[in-house]
Amino acid sequence: AVSPELQRLSLKYDLQKVFGKTLYPADFVSKDNAVALFEVVTETGNETLGMSVPAKIKHYRLENVLPAAGLNAKVNRQQAASLVVEIYTHKTGVSADVLRPTTNRYIRNASAIPDPVYHRLVIALDLGLTKLEADNTYKGESFVTVEEILKEIMMVLDLLGEW
């Protein structure tokens, strides 16, 4: 069953354009879904009419977050956290590259996280959009579900006063 929060988000943004007629919260998110979700939430779809998904990834400068290869591939947690930070920065008009966290965090497995993703992950942690495990590791390799990424987006909207 879809929670009232997810139904509300679905009404605010046309999530049918992203996930189809029925929202399945436990489904995994594909890169194709992720790009469509970025466009719906940032209201930038008109900028890329007629473009392929790889072209959209390049247009939005998301290639470090979502490599264009394997569009049906599932998005992992670290890619999702990075994408949500990109949504936040798009809405604020401030590049993710210039954002600096307000707190220092020790991430035990930091060396396993790619550099462009790492910076965005630290920002996501700082904003409270994602969390470390109890042992200070980040389990970013596991796939993200529709519900997980939408909850992170709701947190961004809340931070921006749009929720």
Side-chain angles (χ1 to χ4, degrees), residues 5-6 9 150-159 163:
E5 287 177 321
L6 294 184
L9 186 67
L150 292 180
K151 283 187 175 184
E152 289 178 8
I153 288 171
M154 285 186 273
M155 286 186 229
V156 163
L157 295 174
D158 192 44
L159 286 171
W163 190 237

Side-chain angles (χ1 to χ4, degrees), residues 69-80:
L71 295 177
N72 291 324
K74 297 175 189 127
V75 173
N76 65 32
R77 288 182 63 217
Q78 65 191 15
Q79 290 170 321

Side-chain angles (χ1 to χ4, degrees), residues 1-3 5-7 9 15 18-19 23-30 33-34 37 41 74-85 87 124 128-131 133 138-157 163:
V2 178
S3 73
E5 287 177 321
L6 294 184
Q7 286 177 340
L9 186 67
L15 296 183
V18 179
F19 302 110
L23 189 65
Y24 296 103
D27 279 2
F28 293 121
V29 178
S30 70
N33 294 147
L37 187 58
V41 176
K74 297 175 189 127
V75 173
N76 65 32
R77 288 182 63 217
Q78 65 191 15
Q79 290 170 321
S82 297
L83 181 72
V84 172
V85 167
I87 289 171
L129 304 175
T130 192
K131 296 178 182 158
E133 301 297 318
Y138 184 71
K139 304 278 193 258
E141 311 80 35
S142 60
F143 298 126
V144 70
T145 65
V146 169
E147 182 172 23
E148 289 167 338
I149 198 168
L150 292 180
K151 283 187 175 184
E152 289 178 8
I153 288 171
M154 285 186 273
M155 286 186 229
V156 163
L157 295 174
W163 190 237

Side-chain angles (χ1 to χ4, degrees), residues 48-157:
T48 58
L49 287 175
M51 286 186 176
S52 66
V53 175
K56 289 178 181 186
I57 289 171
K58 189 171 179 71
H59 174 80
Y60 295 123
R61 297 186 179 116
L62 298 174
E63 49 269 75
N64 289 330
V65 174
L66 296 170
L71 295 177
N72 291 324
K74 297 175 189 127
V75 173
N76 65 32
R77 288 182 63 217
Q78 65 191 15
Q79 290 170 321
S82 297
L83 181 72
V84 172
V85 167
E86 289 296 328
I87 289 171
Y88 174 82
T89 62
H90 189 87
K91 283 182 158 289
T92 60
V94 179
S95 168
D97 296 327
V98 298
L99 285 179
R100 297 292 174 251
T102 57
T103 58
N104 289 326
R105 297 193 188 263
Y106 170 69
I107 303 173
R108 180 179 281 170
N109 60 335
S111 62
I113 302 169
D115 286 342
V117 172
Y118 177 81
H119 178 72
R120 285 158 181 79
L121 173 61
V122 171
I123 299 300
L125 288 165
D126 196 50
L127 292 172
L129 304 175
T130 192
K131 296 178 182 158
L132 295 176
E133 301 297 318
D135 64 352
N136 283 332
T137 59
Y138 184 71
K139 304 278 193 258
E141 311 80 35
S142 60
F143 298 126
V144 70
T145 65
V146 169
E147 182 172 23
E148 289 167 338
I149 198 168
L150 292 180
K151 283 187 175 184
E152 289 178 8
I153 288 171
M154 285 186 273
M155 286 186 229
V156 163
L157 295 174

